[in-house]
Amino acid sequence: MASDSPESLMTLCTDYCLRNLEGTLCYLLDNKTLRLHPDIFLPSEICDKLVNEYVELVKTDSVFEPHESFFSLFSDPRSTRLARIHLREQIVQDEDLDAIKNQDLVELSLTNCEKLTAKSLQTLLRFSHTLVFLSLFGCCNIFYEEENPGGCEDDCLVNPTRQVLVKDFTFEGFSRLRFLNLGRLTERVNVETLLRPLASLTALDLSGIQLHDVVFLTQWKDSLVSLVLYNMDLSEEHIQVIAQLRKLRHLDISRDHLSSYYKFKLTRRVLNLFVENLVNLTSLDISGHTMLENCTISSMEEKMGQTSTEPAKSSIAPFRGLKRPLQFLGLFETSLCRLTHIPAYKVSGDKNEEQVLNAIEAYTEHRPEITSRAINLLFDIARIERCHQLLRALQLVITALKCHKDDKNIQVTGSAALFYLTNSEYRPEQSVKLRRQVIQVVLNGMESYQEVTVQRNCCLTLCNFSIPEELEFQYRRVNELLLNILNQSRQDESIQRIAVHLCNALVCQVDNDHKEAVGKMGFVMTMLKLIQKKLTDTTCDQVMEFSWSALWNITDETPDNCEMFLNYSGMKLFLECLKEFPEKQELHRNMLGLLGNVAEVKELRPQLMTSQFISVFSNLLESKADGIEVSYNACGVLSHIMFDGPEAWCICEPRREEVVDRMWAAIQSWDINSRRNINYRSFEPILRLLPQGISPVSQHWATWALYNLVSVYSDKYCPLLIKEGGIPLLKDMIKMASARQETKEMARKVIEHCSNFKEENMDTSR
């Protein structure tokens, strides 16, 4: 299960070594094959951890690169020792298992390793003298081998190989084997013959296998303590055999109630038989069974008294014969879970949060079909009520999503549950580590599934996080995934809106390196494509506005992205949007903010020097849209253009003097106390307009901007101006003969504001 405690030093070191094998434990032979350094000797505790963590990283971390020769590092037991390893899914092939055949494995778990064939059965024989625990759950091809019917090399070209069942393999020689899981074993394998040599089994899992005759189980009636027959179609004969296994402490005869072919119904008599004969039973799972009503006591008696786990008060009549409460009772998707008095300390069911969480915990590893429905119940609890075991719920959902990365149903229900479990109501209860684990599994889901519901759930869940701060550790990956969503030809409108919002938030308030990297990933082009699509549809919605806002953010002090905007016909789209949506104030503000960033780049300003563009900027000086923002930003664009001097003014109309006059008029019309819808991370582009005499109006615009910001937002902008050396520049400007008197007066007020701020915030403590 996902943990909320800090990572151990062992885990951190293991992770580092696996991500840097060449720089730590290994070297490359022939630039291809990994080899362990000859002076390294690793005990089983470290080797087991390396292998198990490697499998986890390959499965859940898209950035991690698997190595073809990884398992060969553990081929020699003189330098590496393996004892307990857990391998999963497509990661493991025959040659990987063969590479470690000389190890004395005690525990080997192979889960859904569908690439393993009968070649691996021969490898298993090499472990026969040491194995105590073996799981072949879901290894559906391990009893098949390739056979060429033609029998000669030439015939191979004509007759492809075919899969044939291996019939002569048994567990002969596995004398130490005590725990065996054969869940979802290939149908035609003779289970009785396969298992007969195992003299002393204590735990057996035959999930998903249909056996009509299970009498052979009685050979272990004096040793078997755990038996799992999940989804086996039971009969009276099965029940009679089970009742003879008197040493059983754990019995699981549960089933998936959606499977229609099960005819068997649990009765009071069957449960009585178990209670009377299986006296050591501490755990029983009968989930999914159709229960006959005679199992329960009368409704009047059932509701009496406080909830109790004492067998004598049990609402399930047969369990009144128990000598002590069960440690676990599986009642998921049965009518019994809703009764009042259940004689068990832990119950899986659908009655309440505790039962649902117990179900997710019990069934996650091997029963995704059940787990998905349990998580769906948790989703309803989190959505409608308050989740009282938040930490446990989150950890269980994270584990399920990681374990079943490729299961669509779990990804849909799990991502939906995460949205509610990570909202602001639960935020104080979640650690940084736990929230990072959520982000990881959400991104895994986005990578694995293009399906609309999963994508929407994942995007909505990401909106519950502080952006960009909490996503910065996966910055590149999350941007790539969002851009991939936005570049899909068929787009769901709601996902598009959320994805653009996230993209915008991700490029706001991050450093320029991040912005440049995202720009190179195609961010600018993607936003412009979205804008073009909305223009074609003559639609100005949130996607259009967010796209311009995102471009405004990503071009902030990032010349490469500004250049991309111009190169990808951004100015053409700017003009078309102005024409098509003349009344959309928010849109105009975002567009002009972006062009302000472009105008700050000296090398790009000549591309803005056209009669058409200058006329548009000049006309926008008189705009009252969004308070002063559109007029302010238009004036900012022109201020930077004016800063290049009269010789750079290479157009006849409008004349430079005319535009200057309109700029002065606009600035004088603004209220100095205007509250702003803008966020400056640096004053550098504004400050560079102060120490010059070639454009007094640019100097005045810059001074007005500083005066407004330090007046209205003193706490934020006075320290920034002081830090960036603005005060000396203002003082020098006041001495300049070319500066206008009103500009000098405003500069003095800026200096005074900052001086007062410093005095008010001076630390006088000793």
Side-chain angles (χ1 to χ4, degrees), residues 87 93 95 549:
L87 311 179
Q93 303 186 40
E95 52 267 34
S549 179

Side-chain angles (χ1 to χ4, degrees), residues 48 50 88 116 265 290 337 355 462 471 495 498 566 643:
D48 291 350
L50 284 167
R88 299 185 67 88
L116 296 182
K265 291 182 174 57
T290 302
C337 73
Q355 288 188 2
L462 291 178
L471 300 184
I495 296 177
I498 303 163
L566 295 178
F643 179 58

Side-chain angles (χ1 to χ4, degrees), residues 607-716:
Q607 296 187 52
L608 302 180
M609 182 53 70
T610 71
S611 292
Q612 185 182 27
F613 294 156
I614 297 299
S615 295
V616 168
F617 299 144
S618 299
N619 291 334
L620 288 170
L621 287 169
E622 295 164 15
S623 170
K624 302 301 179 191
D626 200 16
I628 68 166
E629 296 302 331
V630 171
S631 177
Y632 171 88
N633 284 326
C635 199
V637 172
L638 291 168
S639 292
H640 289 287
I641 292 171
M642 293 293 174
F643 179 58
D644 292 334
E647 64 276 9
W649 198 269
C650 55
I651 56 174
C652 297
E653 291 293 334
R655 292 182 303 106
R656 188 173 188 272
E657 294 75 16
E658 177 190 333
V659 175
V660 167
D661 289 343
R662 295 181 72 174
M663 289 170 68
W664 279 110
I667 297 170
Q668 287 164 352
S669 72
W670 302 336
D671 179 2
I672 197 65
N673 295 312
S674 297
R675 300 196 70 80
R676 309 299 307 287
N677 198 350
I678 199 166
N679 184 29
Y680 282 100
R681 291 190 305 128
S682 169
F683 283 144
E684 194 277 328
I686 294 176
L687 294 177
R688 75 172 75 133
L689 298 177
L690 294 179
Q692 51 91 21
I694 203 161
S695 175
V697 71
S698 303
Q699 199 176 49
H700 192 69
W701 174 84
T703 310
W704 189 96
L706 296 174
Y707 185 27
N708 166 253
L709 293 168
V710 300
S711 301
V712 180
Y713 306 101
S714 301
D715 289 350
K716 180 174 183 180

